[in-house]
Amino acid sequence: DAGVIQSPRHEVTEMGQEVTLRCKPISGHNSLFWYRQTMMRGLELLIYFNNNVPIDDSGMPEDRFSAKMPNASFSTLKIQPSEPRDSAVYFCASSLVSGANQPQHFGDGTRLSIL
Amino acid sequence: GENVEQHPSTLSVQEGDSAVIKCTYSDSASNYFPWYKQELGKRPQLIIDIRSNVGEKKDQRIAVTLNKTAKHFSLHITETQPEDSAVYFCAASTYGNTGKLIFGQGTTLQVKP
């Protein structure tokens, strides 16, 4: 099992640029979660999908953030335009939801730096 | 909605001692409680979990206890080792089978050799 795969692992860009983070969940998992982690705010849930459908995006900080899941094996988180305060580690996680809650498995994260 | 409080925020112990981290949750309907370990620069990794129909679960040096009446659960690490040093997060499921977890704020555990 390859686990949750995220790309890129590191991203450094200038403010105002568009940033796209990518995630491939574990095959067979039907729920996908995007988190942001900072020292100040800890681990924050941004948005999550069940069966490719966005269920709760209340954690998305602003309209500059958007997420899509066009199919069961791929999701993107986009920031446009990016700002220095968006600098953080962004994690994607997936789980299998069927009858009972199951653990979430995290990817290695994308460390984003906005200059 | 669900809220999870985790204490302490930092914990320092001597190698070989035990460490205990406690979490409380607000939603009595929550039924799944995982614990994650995050080493510096790494991803959170599941170390143990417990469901609401069980009061205690153990895996080698790690154990988790759940008190549904009081709505709190705890992680116990015995015979701590320097490699146990990390940030530990508790979490609780929200009502309904959505897979969504509410995480605690994290506990930084330092095991001194």
Side-chain angles (χ1 to χ4, degrees):
Chain A
D1 190 343
V4 176
I5 299 174
Q6 291 187 245
S7 65
R9 290 294 311 278
H10 303 273
E11 175 87 14
V12 180
T13 190
E14 294 186 347
M15 66 176 294
Q17 298 297 308
E18 178 178 291
V19 173
T20 299
L21 311 181
R22 297 173 176 81
C23 177
K24 176 180 170 57
I26 292 173
S27 178
H29 281 190
N30 55 2
S31 287
L32 184 141
F33 306 81
W34 281 102
Y35 292 90
R36 178 172 69 176
Q37 187 174 41
T38 61
M39 289 294 292
M40 290 296 295
R41 300 176 69 90
L43 197 60
E44 301 175 272
L45 177 65
L46 300 177
I47 185 172
Y48 74 99
F49 298 82
N50 279 353
N51 296 314
N52 312 339
V53 177
I55 302 300
D56 183 354
D57 65 355
S58 60
M60 296 285 260
E62 303 171 30
D63 291 345
R64 299 184 296 107
F65 286 68
S66 62
K68 294 182 179 179
M69 192 164 187
N71 56 62
S73 60
F74 183 66
S75 177
T76 60
L77 177 67
K78 188 172 293 187
I79 308 173
Q80 166 64 14
S82 58
E83 297 182 4
R85 59 193 169 124
D86 301 331
S87 298
V89 180
Y90 290 80
F91 287 103
C92 175
S94 71
S95 70
L96 174 64
V97 177
S98 61
N101 284 309
Q102 299 294 332
Q104 294 182 14
H105 299 267
F106 284 76
D108 288 330
T110 295
R111 185 172 296 276
L112 177 64
S113 296
I114 308 296
L115 307 177
Chain B
E2 174 69 284
N3 184 50
V4 177
E5 297 288 333
Q6 183 172 348
H7 299 280
S9 57
T10 60
L11 180 60
S12 181
V13 300
Q14 287 295 133
E15 182 177 0
D17 288 349
S18 295
V20 181
I21 302 170
K22 300 180 179 180
C23 290
T24 60
Y25 60 98
S26 59
D27 187 353
S28 57
S30 289
N31 57 12
Y32 176 65
F33 308 91
W35 285 88
Y36 287 83
K37 175 185 180 182
Q38 186 177 26
E39 297 177 357
L40 189 63
K42 301 286 184 65
R43 59 188 168 93
Q45 288 191 284
L46 179 75
I47 55 172
I48 196 168
D49 56 7
I50 192 168
R51 300 185 187 280
S52 58
N53 58 347
V54 175
E56 183 174 358
K57 184 176 180 180
K58 190 174 182 179
D59 182 3
Q60 299 183 337
R61 296 186 298 108
I62 294 174
V64 58
T65 58
L66 172 64
N67 183 327
K68 287 194 297 180
T69 302
K71 292 190 283 187
H72 66 71
F73 56 112
S74 300
L75 177 71
H76 304 254
I77 306 174
T78 58
E79 300 173 23
T80 54
Q81 302 168 2
E83 51 265 39
D84 294 330
S85 297
V87 179
Y88 291 81
F89 293 95
C90 64
S93 65
T94 56
Y95 177 75
N97 188 22
T98 65
K100 179 180 178 180
L101 296 174
I102 304 299
F103 282 84
Q105 298 83 351
T107 296
T108 300
L109 173 64
Q110 181 186 27
V111 180
K112 298 178 180 178

